[in-house]
Amino acid sequence: MRSNKRFTNQTFTKRVDHEGGLHRPLARLPEPSVCRDCGAVYMGRRWAPKEVYNTPQDRELLRTAEIRECPACKQIRSGIVGGYVTIGGTFIDRHREEIENLLTNEAERAGSDNPLSKIMTRRQTPAGLVVETTTEHLAQRIGHALKKAFHGEVSYQFSHENKVVRVSWVRN
């Protein structure tokens, strides 16, 4: 079926991740491999949490595993951020402990699905609490969790050049 639409470059433009491959290895890693920092296991061409491999056969296999650095730990070390979450408003002053617990719990839940999703840093700024994550998915997940738990206003800004998201949550 032919279309009557004229060709536009916008139709074929792709989102390009210029820095995305910097934290990935050039060649496939040997299997099994274990991250020296977080303990994530590379087996079956994917990274999984170490808790997945808890049978005696798995433990025996992991004793001979090669020690490497997972892409998330390498990304943290090199400072490549995948997502920024800014938490602002007067609400944060009264409920700081609850918000910190929510951040920790969401990072743990995301880590059980994908061990490469981690919180890099948390720091207080004049704008509020800023959380940096290794993946854009974790930043979005934290924004959704804040909205669901505490209501407020949340906005998402996606970069067109690379895979970075800026999530802003505010409640007064």
Side-chain angles (χ1 to χ4, degrees):
M1 180 176 183
R2 293 184 54 94
S3 172
N4 292 332
K5 285 181 155 181
R6 293 187 48 87
F7 169 79
T8 61
N9 191 29
Q10 185 177 12
T11 311
F12 296 98
T13 327
K14 289 171 103 176
R15 205 170 116 185
V16 179
D17 186 6
H18 296 289
E19 297 175 346
L22 293 179
H23 58 277
R24 293 189 184 99
L26 295 176
R28 194 171 127 194
L29 294 175
E31 294 181 16
S33 294
V34 177
C35 178
R36 66 174 168 251
D37 297 328
C38 65
V41 178
Y42 181 78
M43 197 178 314
R45 298 189 74 179
R46 63 184 52 218
W47 288 94
K50 60 185 170 189
E51 293 80 21
V52 171
Y53 299 100
N54 56 6
T55 64
Q57 296 87 4
D58 291 337
R59 280 188 234 123
E60 186 63 36
L61 181 64
L62 292 179
R63 286 188 193 152
T64 62
E66 217 172 291
I67 305 299
R68 296 283 179 140
E69 186 177 35
C70 74
C73 292
K74 191 180 290 187
Q75 188 176 352
I76 291 169
R77 186 174 41 81
S78 61
I80 299 173
V81 180
Y84 297 92
V85 181
T86 305
I87 303 169
T90 58
F91 182 81
I92 190 173
D93 297 331
R94 298 185 309 269
H95 300 275
R96 185 166 201 64
E97 186 176 337
E98 295 171 28
I99 291 172
E100 291 282 345
N101 289 339
L102 182 130
L103 294 172
T104 303
N105 292 338
E106 280 303 312
E108 286 177 7
R109 281 191 209 107
S112 67
D113 295 337
N114 178 10
L116 305 181
S117 293
K118 298 178 183 181
I119 290 179
M120 296 172 69
T121 61
R122 300 178 194 190
R123 56 188 157 82
Q124 187 65 42
T125 65
L129 180 66
V130 176
V131 180
E132 296 177 345
T133 64
T134 56
T135 63
E136 66 276 6
H137 302 290
L138 179 56
Q140 291 176 38
R141 185 176 181 146
I142 290 171
H144 290 300
L146 286 167
K147 173 76 173 172
K148 183 177 179 182
F150 304 118
H151 306 292
E153 297 294 320
V154 66
S155 65
Y156 304 93
Q157 296 174 344
F158 298 91
S159 172
H160 295 289
E161 283 295 312
N162 49 20
K163 295 176 78 173
V164 176
V165 66
R166 294 183 185 279
V167 178
S168 177
W169 180 85
V170 178
R171 179 174 171 193
N172 293 321

